[in-house]
Amino acid sequence: FPYTTLFRSYFMKNSYSLFKDNKEYIIAYAQNLSGVYSMNKEAQNILLDYIVINGNDNDIYLQLSGIYLKIGEKKKAEDTYRLMSY
């Protein structure tokens, strides 16, 4: 298990430049950074970069909102959640 997590982290970090426009990759990478390594700021930056480059996306906003909530930034979490369109 530890080797699998380490390999996945290495692969994701080194392939970021290739897949930075792939939403599923970005979500998985942000979840990995935040959930496994508690690198919440880095995960936020990756999600925000995706939004800047690709425009609004509900799935990205939902992930970003979850990270804000996880680190105790309730207001930011609510504001980000409100950006989602239904």
Side-chain angles (χ1 to χ4, degrees):
F1 175 75
Y3 295 114
T4 304
T5 303
L6 183 62
F7 176 74
R8 182 174 63 179
S9 175
Y10 175 81
F11 171 76
M12 294 189 94
K13 180 180 180 184
N14 287 312
S15 58
Y16 175 72
S17 63
L18 298 173
F19 297 108
K20 64 183 176 184
D21 292 328
N22 182 295
K23 179 171 71 172
E24 289 77 21
Y25 171 86
I26 294 299
I27 289 172
Y29 189 28
Q31 287 173 340
N32 190 37
L33 287 174
S34 179
V36 176
Y37 299 104
S38 296
M39 296 174 71
N40 298 304
K41 189 65 173 171
E42 291 83 353
Q44 289 172 40
N45 289 338
I46 286 169
L47 294 169
L48 290 170
D49 286 347
Y50 182 89
I51 292 169
V52 168
I53 293 168
N54 298 291
N56 298 340
D57 187 282
N58 287 348
D59 295 327
I60 300 294
Y61 283 141
L62 185 61
Q63 292 299 314
L64 189 56
S65 180
I67 291 172
Y68 287 141
L69 195 57
K70 177 182 175 183
I71 61 174
E73 294 190 30
K74 186 177 177 185
K75 177 77 170 118
K76 271 189 175 180
E78 290 173 352
D79 292 344
T80 303
Y81 187 78
R82 286 190 188 114
L83 292 173
M84 294 174 55
S85 57
Y86 297 96

